[in-house]
Amino acid sequence: MPRIRWKAHVNSQEIDPLVDIARASISTIQAAIEAQKAFVPYSTGGAQQAVTTVSWPPAEPDHYGTTMQQHSEMVALAASTAPVPIWQVDANGYVVALNGHAITGANYFTNLPHCGYCTVMLWVLDLPLGAPTAGRYNLAVNLEYTVPADVLNNVDVLSRLLNGNQGGDAALIVLKGMINVFLQNRPEEWVLQVGAQFVTDNAVLNAAPPGTIALDWTTAAGHMVDVNVQYFGNHSLLVTLWKIVYQGLYDRTVSSDGA
């Protein structure tokens, strides 16, 4: 009986084209940001700690600092979407207020320029963007970025990060193509199921084509894959795809000294 067959190992020759996709996507996103708001230098040193302030009346403003593993922008987002939430990451991968009000710079503000990673993430999540940069922060080389769980697990956020921030069918098709690399099955043998949608390499359908195997994204995301590339290692497919995004982002950012 036909079944999904995962590869035992994925090597650098197989991963490199996926990183190329991520790199091109991040480049497109950065160009869109810069067209609206010019990048500034990123020179936050180790002694500086950014603070993101969330002001959401009638509550008093809350202030969130950068931690060892997470920048203040993501710390603030995690707190704002955790119980008791004031915002949520919706099914389309955008941060929206539960009361329906717009989230503006008066509600969400960081006192220092964003690193290149946070710049892209805030843009993709549709959160207010303060001072954007293309700068790396100190854990970038290890691809160790930390995002809130509701961001990490949102398939639309991930697929838009791989498709120049354009969602919908086109982004899901890109995601399906990325997963092809991790399977022994031929691409035409299987479809990716995302909710009630079935994604082939060139279309998104309401039902799986006859004779194909459906791989549910919720199952695939948690499957452990072994990537024989530095800083990728053995992680779930979900984490590995995020690492591909991070590698593309790392390649599109610069260190604070311009290197």
Side-chain angles (χ1 to χ4, degrees):
M1 182 176 182
R3 61 184 180 86
I4 295 294
R5 301 184 307 279
W6 294 87
K7 290 181 180 176
H9 302 283
V10 177
N11 60 37
S12 60
Q13 288 74 29
E14 294 170 302
I15 286 291
D16 285 348
L18 306 187
V19 175
D20 286 342
I21 292 170
R23 188 183 297 116
S25 175
I26 297 300
S27 180
T28 297
I29 293 170
Q30 288 176 322
I33 295 169
E34 201 164 15
Q36 180 171 311
K37 202 165 192 177
F39 285 173
V40 302
Y42 181 66
S43 57
T44 302
Q48 292 178 287
Q49 183 188 61
V51 174
T52 297
T53 299
V54 175
S55 301
W56 201 252
E60 292 296 311
D62 286 314
H63 308 283
Y64 302 95
T66 290
T67 70
M68 288 296 293
Q69 296 293 329
Q70 196 169 48
H71 276 185
S72 65
E73 295 90 336
M74 294 297 113
V75 176
L77 175 57
S80 300
T81 57
V84 175
I86 56 174
W87 304 337
Q88 66 178 353
V89 183
D90 70 9
N92 295 315
Y94 300 106
V95 178
V96 296
L98 294 179
N99 64 6
H101 293 174
I103 303 170
T104 71
N107 307 122
Y108 180 97
F109 174 77
T110 303
N111 66 329
L112 295 173
H114 310 296
C115 71
Y117 158 69
C118 287
T119 294
V120 168
M121 287 306 304
L122 295 179
W123 182 264
V124 168
L125 293 168
D126 202 27
L127 278 168
L129 193 60
T133 79
R136 294 177 188 155
Y137 85 105
N138 63 348
L139 291 179
V141 68
N142 297 321
L143 309 183
E144 291 181 5
Y145 301 102
T146 306
V147 297
D150 50 0
V151 174
L152 182 74
N153 293 318
N154 191 293
V155 66
D156 200 79
V157 174
L158 176 62
S159 59
R160 283 191 288 113
L161 282 165
L162 294 167
N163 192 49
N165 202 28
Q166 298 300 308
D169 291 359
L172 291 177
I173 290 169
V174 169
L175 182 64
K176 198 276 186 185
M178 305 285 275
I179 300 173
N180 281 336
V181 173
F182 297 89
L183 300 182
Q184 297 180 46
N185 301 77
R186 297 191 308 274
E188 65 273 14
E189 289 182 335
W190 75 281
V191 295
L192 178 66
Q193 183 178 357
V194 181
Q197 298 176 299
F198 296 84
V199 188
T200 73
D201 281 62
N202 50 38
V204 176
L205 309 171
N206 294 323
T212 59
I213 313 165
L215 174 61
D216 194 315
W217 166 250
T218 56
T219 300
H223 191 91
M224 297 300 292
V225 295
D226 188 2
V227 180
N228 187 23
V229 179
Q230 189 177 25
Y231 303 124
F232 281 76
N234 189 285
H235 294 282
S236 70
L237 177 66
L238 176 65
V239 170
T240 301
L241 290 172
W242 273 94
K243 280 182 173 283
I244 289 169
V245 171
Y246 298 158
Q247 182 67 65
L249 182 52
Y250 177 84
D251 294 342
R252 288 293 308 162
T253 54
V254 295
S255 61
S256 58
D257 62 4

